[in-house]
Amino acid sequence: MKKIWVYLLGLISGIVLTGIVMFLLIAIYNVKNDPGYQMINGITFFEEPDDIIDENSFEVFQALGDGSALAHGKGDGHSIYTGITVLLYNKDHKPYYDEQIIEVPNEKCARQIGLYRYTSKMDIEKTVPVVEIMDK
């Protein structure tokens, strides 16, 4: 009877150990085959900056606690902020506040560096570009 218990415990230990090794191998494979972007707090960052967002200023409508903010853009010739909705991101984690106007200086541009997915107050899934103001 004792031999049966030893056999069963060995079998179960072998199955568990095999599962752990498989999990680790899959994790290592996924790290090696990273698609070139990184995801943090719902933000998917691109490996390289992408398109320039053609807006010259933004109005913050919701400041987030991590140094980013949701904002509406205002392009040339417009008098109100009805342009594209973006997530403004800054590496310095400078705090934004609601209704703050962010001007894009002439020597800089707003460039898309990723995507942000969130759920609106009306339970609608939204995806907006993540924008950083940087040198042209």
Side-chain angles (χ1 to χ4, degrees), residues 33-83:
N33 294 316
D34 183 42
Y37 57 82
Q38 166 182 21
M39 188 167 180
I40 301 173
N41 297 332
I43 301 174
T44 303
F45 290 101
F46 300 149
E47 193 171 289
E48 295 289 327
D50 202 19
D51 297 334
I52 292 176
I53 304 297
D54 193 27
E55 304 283 351
N56 57 11
S57 65
F58 297 92
E59 180 181 27
V60 174
F61 67 87
Q62 184 176 2
L64 306 176
D66 61 352
S68 59
L70 289 168
H72 292 295
K74 176 181 149 187
D76 291 327
H78 296 93
S79 60
I80 56 175
Y81 291 89
T82 58

Side-chain angles (χ1 to χ4, degrees), residues 1-13:
M1 185 72 169
K2 187 176 181 181
K3 289 182 180 181
I4 293 174
W5 286 110
V6 171
Y7 175 77
L8 288 176
L9 287 175
L11 182 67
I12 292 170
S13 298

Side-chain angles (χ1 to χ4, degrees), residues 43 45 66-69 87-96 100 102 113 130-133:
I43 301 174
F45 290 101
D66 61 352
S68 59
L87 177 78
L88 291 174
Y89 180 82
N90 66 62
K91 293 177 184 171
D92 301 330
H93 300 290
K94 173 186 151 194
Y96 290 112
Q100 180 181 8
I102 308 296
I113 61 169
V130 178
V131 170
E132 184 177 0
I133 297 173

Side-chain angles (χ1 to χ4, degrees), residues 75-131:
D76 291 327
H78 296 93
S79 60
I80 56 175
Y81 291 89
T82 58
I84 187 171
T85 299
V86 299
L87 177 78
L88 291 174
Y89 180 82
N90 66 62
K91 293 177 184 171
D92 301 330
H93 300 290
K94 173 186 151 194
Y96 290 112
Y97 55 88
D98 292 349
E99 299 179 18
Q100 180 181 8
I101 305 298
I102 308 296
E103 298 287 338
V104 179
N106 288 335
E107 68 277 359
K108 296 192 177 217
C109 65
R111 189 174 288 269
Q112 183 178 1
I113 61 169
L115 294 171
Y116 176 59
R117 296 192 74 165
Y118 69 99
T119 304
S120 70
K121 290 180 182 179
M122 296 170 39
D123 278 340
I124 299 172
E125 284 263 337
K126 295 196 168 227
T127 303
V128 297
V130 178
V131 170

